[in-house]
Amino acid sequence: MGAGFDVGDIGIAVNLGFVLRLPRLCIDSSGCLLLAALDESLFAFALRGRGACVSRHSGVTVYSIHPLSSYVGSTGDGSRRTHRSWEQGRVLASGVCVRTIPLERIEASAQAIYDLVVHTPVIRLPLPEALADRLTGSEIFLKLETLQPVGSFKIRGARNAIRQLSREESREGIWTVSAGNAAQGVALAARHIGAPCSVMVIDTAPQAKLDAIRRLGATIVPATYDECWQTVTAHASPRMRGRFVHPFDDDDFIAGNATLGLELLDQVPDLDVVVGAVGGGGLLSGVGSAIRARKPHVKIVAAEPVTAAPLHMSLEKGRACVFDTWQASFVDGAGGKSVLPTMWPLLSTLVDESIVVSLTEVGDAMKLVADRCHVIAEGAAGCAVAAALSGRIHGRIVAIVSGGNIDLSTFAKVVRACE
């Protein structure tokens, strides 16, 4: 293990720390990666072999690798990359790491990304009488990210992350891993700066998303869900080349997503609740960061399908969890197999609760949005609307319709269009 493990890869280090149940895994105020173990595990020995400083505190061995700000890690193809994530991390006295996306960083993103990004509208969702009676006192609004040039919010984060790459960093190309929406965002943002792009795409991605990725000039590398998820957790793949842009676990990507939150505060200044689907957590981490900074009383709610609800489980247990009963479904843009330990510090502090909805409820919500607003929402967006309609949240509610990239045949089947 010591011979093959590169502690420069923070994604791998954090993931292994979680798997091995290390009781401390955080960033200190000077930017060091700290890993503490109660015993001398193989993982700890591997760290020592890579130049980590070792100290003892109250019977606990602490390994520090410094400096984080200049960390470079292997991409799996022999090239190197500098890690941007965790730059805003800090450690509380208890040893719990808090990762933040500062408002200043979000506002800077908002000054730079609207050459590709659209200010999307917010519309009111007219409710059938029975639903309106059940949700008395509440209003539901929809934030239509379906109107972005790639049909989803992902262009926000992709544009913000890629605009900051130097010519040298993007010279050998840009790549990402995605169920389809992030792939389109990264492909468009890469094309905008003249960089080649390739994407590792889950082999169950809808044909509509695959066709859109190809139209944007990106090369598709099909992979199983398990390989894609491993790539997400490791921040690397031996099959890919160039500069990796993480589809959610990247502070620049999250800050770009957060511009959606700034728009919401202008469009619905008296909102009470924002609800959005969670896959990796980049959307709500961004939106939550922006809204908490300006209107901390607003409730941030996640929506997950019953087939894949790791955040709900994690919030209940108070730690990042793996969802062992995960199942694939038409909700391909939400519901991962686990909450990444690197995302947990954001999600655990920003998200008030996660509402789990059935696939039937998701389909009903998609049908309602199509019928009443003439908008095609994909499964992840339907999750958010279904959560808003659940009766568990109240007041002026904004459901983020995060994307509309779904095969029409699948959409017709899900909403039972022929019944």
Side-chain angles (χ1 to χ4, degrees):
M1 182 173 182
F5 179 64
D6 186 347
V7 296
D9 194 318
I10 298 173
I12 294 177
V14 171
N15 195 46
L16 283 176
F18 169 67
V19 170
L20 294 176
R21 301 294 191 269
L22 299 183
R24 294 289 186 270
L25 181 55
C26 48
I27 310 299
D28 73 4
S29 58
S30 65
C32 290
L33 175 65
L34 299 181
L35 301 127
L38 295 175
D39 58 16
E40 297 280 282
S41 65
L42 289 176
F43 180 63
F45 278 123
L47 290 174
R48 293 178 69 184
R50 295 290 183 154
C53 299
V54 183
S55 58
R56 296 283 293 179
H57 299 277
S58 301
V60 175
T61 304
V62 177
Y63 301 85
S64 59
I65 305 111
H66 184 79
L68 179 64
S69 59
S70 61
Y71 249 17
V72 291
S74 171
T75 61
D77 58 6
S79 62
R80 311 294 284 176
R81 61 186 168 86
T82 302
H83 288 276
R84 295 171 180 263
S85 297
W86 293 85
E87 292 172 352
Q88 302 298 328
R90 61 188 176 86
V91 175
L92 304 179
S94 65
V96 177
C97 180
V98 177
R99 178 183 181 184
T100 62
I101 309 298
L103 181 60
E104 295 78 11
R105 191 169 190 168
I106 298 168
E107 291 173 333
S109 303
Q111 295 296 316
I113 67 172
Y114 286 102
D115 53 348
L116 282 184
V117 173
V118 173
H119 282 87
T120 56
V122 171
I123 62 173
R124 185 173 176 274
L125 174 61
L127 298 176
E129 185 175 347
L131 266 178
D133 290 343
R134 184 163 61 84
L135 300 175
T136 299
S138 294
E139 287 183 279
I140 297 176
F141 300 87
L142 307 178
K143 176 68 167 168
L144 300 183
E145 289 296 286
T146 55
L147 299 179
Q148 292 293 351
V150 295
S152 84
F153 76 96
K154 288 287 190 177
I155 186 59
R156 295 178 182 270
R159 176 62 181 133
N160 193 51
I162 290 174
R163 73 176 177 86
Q164 300 181 65
L165 298 180
S166 68
R167 186 177 298 274
E168 179 62 26
E169 287 176 311
S170 62
R171 180 176 56 84
E172 294 184 1
I174 295 167
W175 69 278
T176 192
V177 55
S178 170
N181 284 342
Q184 293 178 62
V186 170
L188 178 58
R191 189 178 72 176
H192 188 71
I193 66 168
C197 178
S198 57
V199 292
M200 178 182 287
V201 180
I202 297 169
D203 53 16
T204 55
Q207 191 62 44
K209 294 183 178 181
L210 297 176
D211 292 343
I213 293 166
R214 292 190 180 97
R215 285 196 300 270
L216 290 166
T219 300
I220 293 175
V221 179
T224 64
Y225 186 95
D226 287 340
E227 182 181 358
C228 288
W229 195 250
Q230 176 57 37
T231 300
V232 161
T233 59
H235 288 232
S237 169
R239 294 212 288 151
M240 306 299 287
R241 299 291 183 270
R243 175 66 183 235
F244 179 50
V245 174
H246 201 285
F248 58 86
D249 190 12
D250 176 278
D251 287 358
D252 291 329
F253 210 106
I254 295 171
N257 293 341
T259 59
L260 190 157
L262 297 182
E263 290 178 23
L264 277 182
L265 292 175
D266 290 336
Q267 294 168 314
V268 192
D270 54 350
L271 81 166
D272 298 304
V273 185
V274 176
V275 56
V278 168
L283 174 60
L284 282 191
S285 292
V287 171
S289 294
I291 291 177
R292 282 278 187 268
R294 290 192 173 176
K295 290 197 173 181
H297 69 278
V298 175
K299 192 173 184 179
I300 308 298
V301 175
E304 297 177 282
V306 69
T307 52
L311 181 58
H312 180 81
M313 176 185 291
S314 298
L315 291 172
E316 282 192 337
K317 295 188 175 182
R319 58 179 174 83
C321 293
V322 176
F323 194 76
D324 292 326
T325 57
W326 181 92
Q327 299 175 49
S329 75
F330 65 89
V331 186
D332 58 291
K337 285 195 171 183
S338 67
V339 172
L340 294 193
T342 45
M343 294 298 294
W344 178 240
L346 283 169
L347 294 169
S348 62
T349 55
L350 293 171
V351 177
D352 293 291
E353 67 172 302
S354 177
I355 296 177
V356 178
V357 293
S358 70
L359 296 184
T360 298
E361 290 173 316
V362 175
D364 289 344
M366 293 164 64
K367 185 174 185 177
L368 179 65
V369 170
D371 180 49
R372 295 302 176 102
C373 301
H374 315 294
V375 170
I376 293 179
E378 63 182 72
C383 270
V385 178
L389 296 170
S390 68
R392 290 181 52 183
I393 48 181
H394 306 281
R396 290 172 68 81
I397 304 165
V398 175
I400 301 172
V401 183
S402 52
N405 296 312
I406 183 171
D407 292 346
L408 290 180
S409 58
T410 300
F411 180 82
K413 179 180 179 180
V414 168
V415 304
R416 304 179 300 282
C418 297
E419 294 181 9

